[in-house]
Amino acid sequence: MPGTGIGVDTCRRAATAGLVVLSIVGTATAANDAPLRVLAAASDLRIGAAVAMGPFRADKMYREVLAREFNILVAENAFKWSEIHIGRSAYYFDDTDALVTFAEDNDMAVRGHTLVWHNQLPGWLTSGTFSRDEAIAILHDHIATVVGRYAGRIAAWDVVNEAIGDDGRLREDSIWYRLIGPDYVAMAFRFAHEADPAAKLYYNDYNAEGMNAKSDAVYALVKRLVDDGVPIDGVGWQMHLVNGFGIGDGHRDNAQRLAALGLEISITELDVRTPLPSTEPALERQARAYGDVTAFCLAEANCKALLTWGFTDAHSWIPQFFRGTGDALPFDAELRPKPAYWAMNEALAGASGE
Ligand code: XIL
C-alpha cells in the first residue's frame, strides 16, 4: 500500500538544478524525483501549501520550491479580515493580488481562506457597535468585494471557518454569532455564491476529521445547509496533527458520509508537530503520518485537495502556538525535503503508476 513502509533511507539535494538523489531500500517504494505536483496531476488531486507573505516577498528559493512542488496555494494570513479589510470601507489587496498573480503565472489554483472567522478581525470591527442589519451589510460588503474581486480566479473558498466550538455547538464567542445569530453561516455561503457562482464553497474546521462529537456537529451543520438548499460544496479538514497520528476507519466513515451528502472534502491545513528538538525516529514517524494522509486522500474519491500549512519548518505557526513543538512540515528550514516529503512523494508516485 502506498504511504506505508517508507523505504527511503538517504536523500540529498544535488548541488545543481535542485535534483534529488535517492537511495532506496526495502520493498514497494515508488518515490522518485518528480515534484509532488507532477505526481498529483496524474491522480487529479490538487497538492498545495499555505504561503506566508514575509518569505514569499523576500526569498526567491521559497518561491521556487512553492512553484515547483505545488499546484494549489492558500494564503496563511493575507485573505483574513485583519489583513485585507483594514477600514470599514478600506481594503488592502497588494498581498492577495500578488499571490493570485503568482499562482496564475505558475499554473497553480488558489484556495481562499477565509471569509468568516472569529479570529484575526480588524479593530474597527471588534471595537465598533453595530446593529444586526449593519453587521449583515458589513458581511455582505466584505464577501461581495473580496470574492467578487477574484471571481473566476479562486477555485475554492473557506467560507466559514471554525464556527463550531469544541462542545459541538455554534460558537457564541464569535462576533458573527453575537451580532447576527446562527443564520450568519447560511448567509455567508449565499453571499459567496452570489459573488462567484463558479467557486467551490467550503466549511472548514479542526478536530472534525474522524468520527467524534465535533465531526457529528459539523455533519449536522452541513447536512442542514444542504437540505436548505444553501450553496455548499465541501468540508475542509484542517488536520493540525500530533506526531504518531494514523488514519483510521473513522476518517473513511466520515469522508463517506459527507460524500453521501454530495460534498467534497479537502485536507486544508496539514502539519504534524513533534517535540523539539526532533529526532530521526520522530521524523520517520512523522513521515508515516504524511504518507497515510496522502494515501487516504488519494483513496477517497471525494477528497479533492491536500494542502500543508506552510511547507518549510523555517516558517510555521506551530512553534509559536504549540510551545516546545515544531518541525511540523515536509521541508526543513533550509528547504531540503524531509522524510515526510518522501512519504507524500511515494504515496503520490504509487497512485500515479510512476
Ligand atoms: C494561523 C496562522 O498560521 C498564523 O500565522 C496566525 O498568526 C494565526 O492563524 N486554523 C486556521 C488558520 O484556520 O487560519 C490558522 O492560521 C491556524 C489554525
Side-chain angles (χ1 to χ4, degrees), residues 28 49-50 81 94 103-104 147 151 196 226 233 261 305 307 329-330 336 338:
W81 279 68
D94 288 8
E104 287 171 344
V147 177
D196 185 356
V226 169
D233 299 286
L261 287 181
L307 294 92
L329 290 165
R336 288 179 302 233
K338 293 163 58 183

Side-chain angles (χ1 to χ4, degrees), residues 50 52 75-77 80 113-114 117 119-120 158 161-162 204-206 238 240 268-269 271 309-310 315-318 320-322:
E76 186 172 352
N77 290 301
K80 293 174 181 173
H113 174 86
T114 176
W117 193 27
N119 280 332
Q120 288 182 273
D158 288 334
N161 194 36
E162 301 179 356
N204 192 53
D205 215 325
Y206 63 89
Q238 293 188 7
H240 296 292
T268 52
E269 306 186 13
D271 48 30
W309 201 242
H315 303 287
S316 163
W317 74 306
I318 291 295
Q320 199 192 329
F321 283 79
F322 300 90

Side-chain angles (χ1 to χ4, degrees), residues 19 22 40 47 68 117 132 136 157 178 231 244 246 266 269 301 310 314:
L19 289 178
L22 284 179
I47 190 94
R68 183 187 76 214
W117 193 27
R132 180 171 192 268
I136 292 170
W157 278 99
R178 280 203 313 274
S266 287
E269 306 186 13

Side-chain angles (χ1 to χ4, degrees), residues 191-209:
F191 296 161
H193 186 67
E194 177 185 282
D196 185 356
K200 299 281 189 186
L201 305 182
Y202 271 66
Y203 176 78
N204 192 53
D205 215 325
Y206 63 89
N207 288 354
E209 294 98 25

Side-chain angles (χ1 to χ4, degrees), residues 292-336:
D292 243 33
V293 173
T294 308
F296 166 79
C297 190
L298 286 162
E300 295 301 325
N302 66 329
C303 188
K304 300 297 179 189
L306 190 173
L307 294 92
T308 53
W309 201 242
F311 54 97
T312 159
D313 291 335
H315 303 287
S316 163
W317 74 306
I318 291 295
Q320 199 192 329
F321 283 79
F322 300 90
R323 295 271 171 198
T325 73
D327 287 355
L329 290 165
F331 290 85
D332 72 11
E334 276 76 49
L335 285 165
R336 288 179 302 233

